[in-house]
Amino acid sequence: MRTVVMVAEKPSLAAALAKILSRGGAASRKGFNGACSVHEWTGRFPVTGEQARFKFTSVCGHVMSLDFVGKFNSWDRVDPAELFQAPTQKKEASPNLHMPSFLEKEAKGADFLVLWLDCDKEGENICFEVIDAVQSSMSRSTDKGKYGDLDSTLISFGPCQTPTLGFCVERHDKIQSFKPEPYWVLHVEVTSPAGRTLTLDWDRGRIFDKEVANLFLNLVKSNTTAKLTDVQKKEKAKPKPLALNTVEMLRVASSGLGMGPQHAMQIAERLYTQGYISYPRTETNSYPENFDLVGTLRQQQHHSDWGKEVSEILSNGIQRPKKGHDAGDHPPITPMKSASEAELGHEAWKLYEYITRHFIATLCSDCIYLLTTFTFTIGDEVFTCSGKTVIDPGYTTIMPWQAIPPEEMMPTCTVGETWPVNEIKLVERLTSAPDYLSEAELITLMEKHGIGTDASIPVHINNICERNYVTVISGRRLKPTTLGIVLVHGYQKIDLDLVKPTMRAAVEEQLTLIAVGKANYEAVLQHAIDIFKSKFKYFVENILAMDELFEVSFSPLASSGRPLSRCGKCRRYMKLIQAKPMRLYCPSCDEMFSVPQNGNIKIYKELRCPLDDYELLYCTTTIQGKGFILCPYCYNNPPFKDMKKMNGCNECTHPSCPYSLPQTGISSCSQCDNGVLVLDLNSAPKWKIVCNKCNVVVNILENAHKVAAMETTCDDCQSAIVEVQFKSKTPLADEAMEHTGCLFCDPVLVPLVEMKLGRHIRPVHRAGGGDRGRGSRAGRGGRGRGNRGKPKDKMAQLASYFV
């Protein structure tokens, strides 16, 4: 029996498709990488007509990523200009998932490979990544199949991101340069014979000269009646919507539902993976001829909100949807089954409701109405008034927010009637500046200029928000920040092309030519690299123009922030800059140090790091008062091989520093794989031990005067023995003031620990024999308390650890 391996883009999609294809008969097991399941069943394979063994699994997005080789992989050590010629290499996108090995193992000996991935450039890229991973292990060459109808804080430049920001700043510049002008209009109110009051529009519109406007006022203000000289009636249609594609869904979600594009896309993807809607990333707004419109509509027939309207449409016969654009990717976004708000939740329901109503509306008729225009004369001046009378509501019965309100209906009248004038006055107004771009307007501009795709448009908008280039204000409008404005103006001052959408559009056009075989891949690639390299070189040569703008708009670092701690080099105070990203700056050395971003930073007892003489800091997070000590220099420049950047003292492996992991570690954390519970030295008198990796916080020995970890460990759980001293109010038996024991096993100390983790402590494996000395064991924390023998003296200690 032949074996068929099928691969989808996401685990949830693989599970859903396997359930459908196997008619619920698939047996499922976890793959060895722990992230992807494998669903197996036996059935008929349509390609050969034979019985086959099916294995359906998935990837988790991209299998591989492209990166520079190691020596070019640090912005701090490499001139960016070198990167245009630097060699690149493919790496696993998620090394922890071991995806290539997983795919190779599952495809071993398989005869066919079927790929259930997106029918777009990115999906095709993942197709080839999967093929590369499995081809060597399959029993014969593979055939690639794509079933598109069923599938699923920094300053930067980006060829899509920057033009997107440019649109917002361009509108901001128009608002700032706008000068309002006064103008005058004649305001007239009349009353119909039936007693209804109408406001008339002056045929001359706006007058920008007040004296001329007063002249016209004097000509008509003596008249007490208005004569109806003409009535025009014309039947018009309000067209029903085209089928729904991604861009239109994002526009409506922002303008009508109050959802940001990124948030709306996440909800749509969740609705899709749960089977409520079709694939939400599509540029197509036209249904294929073979699409089962009636069957899809019938699923909504018994819905409590629109079931009645659906039944009427089915009984009267559906109206064929309007022809739109077929991009050849996926069908329009369509509801796949009926759902309720209780089932989906409020946010998801709002989007599902719109998608469903939009689909139903495409199968209705247009809204037909009668446009009636009255023409009046008052003296020699002409005034008009228009209104609409609904003939056939059509699709607006299912999309009531687009319905024509009854108050727009015009009263009945005959030509030649005179209506009494209630009021004639001259009204002064001001021309108004355009408003900031709404998300919906920005999406329209991006689509028009070819910036991004239906999938990436929300990502680009989200990026300029997250990077503090724009802020979302009332009405989901995007107001550029000072940073965003200066950034765009700086790009424009140096090279206008960097902000224009044309550069990215030109690249996309070349990619399309490659796809249809009209351009050479290597030639296009080299041409694009040459263009960007020359622009980068020119930008670097003229970077001072950008600096000039930043100096005008932002305070220099030397005059920003507040003094906090002393520098280890010059012994002068460094300043804490609290504006994001929060950082420490030494004006004397002109050096910058990153600090934790989501916490409160303060100086720690004016104590210094034994390695570099920088004053220590203490960071308190919002998680149950959890805090840790850090050296600003070591935090940015790890001194030891096994210490990562942005680690505090509770992860430092210095052998003798009293704040390091070997001196404060208590035991392995039971809630995470690599964490160590360490003593928070700044938590007295409400002492805590906290995990240096996850959010575990354990309250211990409240009101103790001193708590210290000792060199010996517990025989039962391998945790460090703790020495505790009380001065008053001792909870110890016989009013003892001192005690030594294990926090998790000692019957005297266990009641004083809020979270009793002793039973869950993982054993700590020793590096040597039975000696409990500090250097001979793998550590109190399992991984972090030092795994080398104790050096002979302090200089030897530092030499053995310092890089």
Side-chain angles (χ1 to χ4, degrees):
M1 186 183 294
R2 294 189 173 191
T3 300
V4 180
V5 174
M6 298 183 172
V7 182
E9 188 173 338
K10 297 176 182 177
S12 58
L13 183 59
L17 289 169
K19 183 178 180 181
I20 295 169
L21 295 173
S22 68
R23 304 182 187 276
S28 300
R29 59 179 170 84
K30 268 287 183 189
F32 80 80
N33 67 354
C36 304
S37 296
V38 182
H39 314 278
E40 298 175 297
W41 74 96
T42 302
R44 179 178 169 275
F45 186 39
V47 173
T48 62
E50 303 171 0
Q51 286 292 106
R53 175 175 173 246
F54 292 91
K55 297 172 72 175
F56 207 136
T57 188
S58 72
V59 293
C60 296
H62 279 283
V63 179
M64 308 299 288
S65 64
L66 193 67
D67 205 347
F68 295 106
V69 297
K71 71 175 185 177
F72 294 99
N73 226 342
S74 171
W75 289 106
D76 298 327
R77 298 195 298 266
V78 178
D79 182 352
E82 296 179 38
L83 299 178
F84 290 97
Q85 285 87 29
T88 58
Q89 62 181 359
K90 283 194 172 184
K91 294 181 177 179
E92 290 187 41
S94 303
N96 293 337
L97 297 181
H98 310 289
M99 195 60 70
S101 302
F102 166 73
L103 293 170
E104 183 181 15
K105 178 178 181 294
E106 295 301 335
K108 188 174 182 179
D111 299 278
F112 294 94
L113 174 65
V114 181
L115 300 175
W116 300 72
L117 294 157
D118 293 358
C119 278
D120 54 21
K121 295 168 187 170
E122 201 161 1
E124 188 171 351
N125 186 24
I126 300 174
C127 282
F128 285 107
E129 290 173 352
V130 174
I131 290 172
D132 290 343
V134 306
Q135 201 156 17
S136 62
S137 65
M138 294 182 67
S139 64
R140 61 190 68 202
S141 61
T142 62
D143 292 321
K144 185 184 75 153
K146 295 187 290 187
Y147 295 79
D149 289 349
L150 292 176
D151 85 335
S152 65
T153 308
L154 75 156
I155 296 175
S156 58
F157 169 82
C160 289
Q161 166 201 290
T162 304
T164 301
L165 175 59
F167 290 133
C168 300
V169 175
E170 181 183 15
R171 178 62 65 88
H172 168 82
D173 291 342
K174 287 181 179 178
I175 294 171
Q176 295 301 307
S177 62
F178 183 83
K179 293 182 179 180
E181 272 190 271
Y183 67 91
W184 292 263
V185 295
L186 284 178
H187 175 84
V188 178
E189 287 184 2
V190 297
T191 304
S192 71
R196 181 177 168 186
T197 299
L198 298 179
T199 300
L200 307 185
D201 298 318
W202 189 20
D203 212 35
R204 296 183 186 273
R206 301 183 295 181
I207 301 294
F208 287 86
D209 189 318
K210 186 175 183 179
E211 291 184 5
V212 174
N214 274 313
L215 175 64
F216 285 112
L217 176 63
N218 293 328
L219 291 174
V220 298
K221 69 179 181 180
S222 58
N223 293 276
T224 58
T225 60
K227 184 177 182 180
L228 181 60
T229 59
D230 188 36
V231 177
Q232 294 285 336
K233 294 186 178 182
K234 190 174 183 179
E235 191 173 295
K236 285 185 170 288
K238 190 174 185 178
K240 63 184 179 182
L242 291 166
L244 186 63
N245 63 11
T246 306
V247 169
E248 182 62 22
M249 179 189 73
L250 296 177
R251 271 197 290 254
V252 173
S254 177
S255 60
L257 306 180
M259 295 180 187
Q262 180 86 335
H263 181 50
M265 202 70 235
Q266 290 168 349
I267 292 175
E269 288 175 346
R270 188 164 71 247
L271 289 172
Y272 164 65
T273 54
Q274 293 172 346
Y276 291 105
I277 65 171
S278 63
Y279 189 59
R281 298 189 178 195
T282 176
E283 297 177 13
T284 297
N285 57 8
S286 180
Y287 287 105
E289 292 297 328
N290 61 351
F291 194 91
D292 185 9
L293 296 167
V294 174
T296 306
L297 183 63
R298 193 170 280 125
Q299 292 179 340
Q300 305 292 334
Q301 190 172 2
H302 303 293
H303 198 280
S304 59
D305 289 337
W306 47 73
K308 180 182 176 182
E309 289 84 355
V310 169
S311 297
E312 289 179 5
I313 295 169
L314 288 169
S315 61
N316 296 331
I318 66 169
Q319 301 286 324
R320 290 296 302 177
K322 294 167 64 178
K323 273 288 181 184
H325 170 64
D326 184 359
D329 49 359
H330 307 281
I333 304 170
T334 310
M336 301 310 293
K337 61 182 179 182
S338 184
S340 64
E341 183 173 2
E343 192 176 343
L344 299 179
H346 180 64
E347 286 286 287
W349 164 253
K350 287 195 301 182
L351 190 59
Y352 173 83
E353 180 186 21
Y354 173 74
I355 291 169
T356 305
R357 288 186 179 274
H358 189 110
F359 166 70
I360 299 170
T362 63
L363 306 179
C364 298
S365 59
D366 293 342
C367 172
I368 308 300
Y369 64 92
L370 190 67
L371 177 64
T372 304
T373 303
F374 292 170
T375 303
F376 294 89
T377 57
I378 302 176
D380 294 327
E381 293 303 300
V382 178
F383 298 83
T384 59
C385 183
S386 298
K388 299 170 185 174
T389 304
V390 177
I391 299 172
D392 178 5
Y395 79 93
T396 60
T397 56
I398 200 70
M399 299 177 80
W401 60 90
Q402 293 193 16
I404 297 170
E407 53 268 22
E408 285 202 33
M409 186 185 300
M410 298 296 283
T412 56
C413 59
T414 56
V415 175
E417 289 180 350
T418 56
W419 292 16
V421 176
N422 299 339
E423 183 181 36
I424 300 178
K425 64 181 180 179
L426 194 64
V427 177
E428 180 181 354
R429 294 173 183 161
L430 291 173
T431 55
S432 57
D435 210 338
Y436 286 103
L437 278 180
S438 67
E439 285 174 331
E441 292 169 333
L442 180 58
I443 291 168
T444 301
L445 285 170
M446 294 174 73
E447 182 188 33
K448 176 183 175 182
H449 293 279
I451 301 299
T453 64
D454 53 356
S456 64
I457 281 174
V459 176
H460 299 316
I461 296 175
N462 187 62
N463 282 344
I464 65 173
C465 294
E466 284 195 340
R467 294 174 184 177
N468 197 33
Y469 299 157
V470 299
T471 55
V472 181
I473 60 175
S474 177
R476 298 212 64 86
R477 295 187 176 274
L478 302 171
K479 182 179 180 180
T481 62
T482 303
L483 175 58
I485 295 166
V486 172
L487 204 54
V488 169
H489 289 174
Y491 285 132
Q492 290 172 334
K493 192 172 182 180
I494 298 171
D495 185 349
L496 189 58
D497 281 346
L498 295 176
V499 184
K500 285 184 176 181
T502 50
M503 196 161 70
R504 176 64 186 186
V507 174
E508 288 291 341
E509 186 179 341
Q510 295 295 315
L511 294 177
T512 303
L513 292 176
I514 294 173
V516 298
K518 293 183 179 180
N520 178 268
Y521 163 76
E522 294 294 342
V524 171
L525 176 62
Q526 191 57 49
H527 176 70
I529 290 175
D530 291 343
I531 293 256
F532 278 96
K533 181 181 178 181
S534 62
K535 287 189 172 293
F536 175 78
K537 183 180 179 181
Y538 182 79
F539 184 84
V540 171
E541 290 170 352
N542 295 274
I543 192 68
L544 288 176
M546 179 78 84
D547 285 341
E548 290 170 0
L549 290 174
F550 271 83
E551 286 173 1
V552 170
S553 303
F554 297 97
S555 302
L557 281 171
S559 60
S560 303
R562 60 179 177 86
L564 181 68
S565 62
R566 291 189 183 272
C567 171
K569 295 179 181 178
C570 66
R571 302 303 303 144
R572 295 182 180 178
Y573 276 102
M574 299 190 293
K575 293 186 174 184
L576 180 65
I577 314 295
Q578 292 186 304
K580 288 188 176 182
M582 194 157 57
R583 56 220 187 271
L584 268 179
Y585 175 66
C586 178
S588 299
C589 302
D590 194 27
E591 280 197 84
M592 188 81 70
F593 300 98
S594 296
V595 295
Q597 294 301 300
N598 298 310
N600 181 39
I601 307 289
K602 62 182 181 180
I603 192 167
Y604 179 64
K605 301 180 180 179
E606 298 185 358
L607 298 172
R608 302 176 191 174
C609 174
L611 287 176
D612 49 52
D613 217 29
Y614 278 76
E615 285 188 331
L616 299 175
L617 305 176
Y618 186 80
C619 175
T620 308
T621 68
T622 56
I623 304 165
Q624 304 178 49
K626 178 181 176 181
F628 62 93
I629 302 165
L630 66 116
C631 164
Y633 189 85
C634 296
Y635 188 79
N636 291 268
N637 305 279
F640 306 122
K641 291 179 181 179
D642 50 358
M643 184 177 175
K644 295 180 181 179
K645 204 170 183 180
M646 310 301 176
N647 280 352
C649 296
N650 59 14
E651 294 187 68
C652 174
T653 52
H654 191 292
S656 60
C657 174
Y659 321 109
S660 66
L661 178 59
Q663 300 293 325
T664 60
I666 303 295
S667 75
S668 299
C669 178
S670 64
Q671 306 300 312
C672 65
D673 292 333
N674 304 314
V676 178
L677 295 176
V678 297
L679 181 63
D680 184 349
L681 298 174
N682 199 50
S683 60
K686 297 184 177 182
W687 293 89
K688 297 181 177 71
I689 53 175
V690 300
C691 179
N692 61 4
K693 296 289 186 185
C694 70
N695 296 333
V696 168
V697 177
V698 184
N699 296 321
I700 62 168
L701 307 170
E702 187 170 352
N703 296 321
H705 171 64
K706 178 184 176 182
V707 178
M710 301 182 68
E711 294 191 1
T712 52
T713 57
C714 172
D715 290 332
D716 294 331
C717 71
Q718 304 300 309
S719 299
I721 298 298
V722 172
E723 179 186 15
V724 56
Q725 295 179 7
F726 287 90
K727 275 193 171 181
S728 60
K729 298 181 181 179
T730 176
L732 303 177
D734 301 325
E735 296 186 354
M737 292 297 178
E738 297 183 5
H739 188 80
T740 300
C742 174
L743 288 171
F744 309 112
C745 303
D746 191 315
V748 175
L749 297 182
V750 166
L752 306 180
V753 178
E754 185 176 292
M755 296 172 62
K756 298 178 182 179
L757 302 175
R759 292 180 180 270
H760 308 289
I761 299 301
R762 296 189 301 277
V764 178
H765 302 290
R766 300 183 185 278
D771 183 13
R772 297 184 184 183
R774 205 170 279 230
S776 63
R777 64 182 182 275
R780 297 172 189 157
R783 301 193 182 210
R785 296 220 30 147
N787 55 11
R788 301 177 177 87
K790 187 175 181 179
K792 296 178 181 179
D793 55 37
K794 185 172 181 179
M795 291 309 295
Q797 287 178 345
L798 297 183
S800 68
Y801 279 84
F802 193 73
V803 177

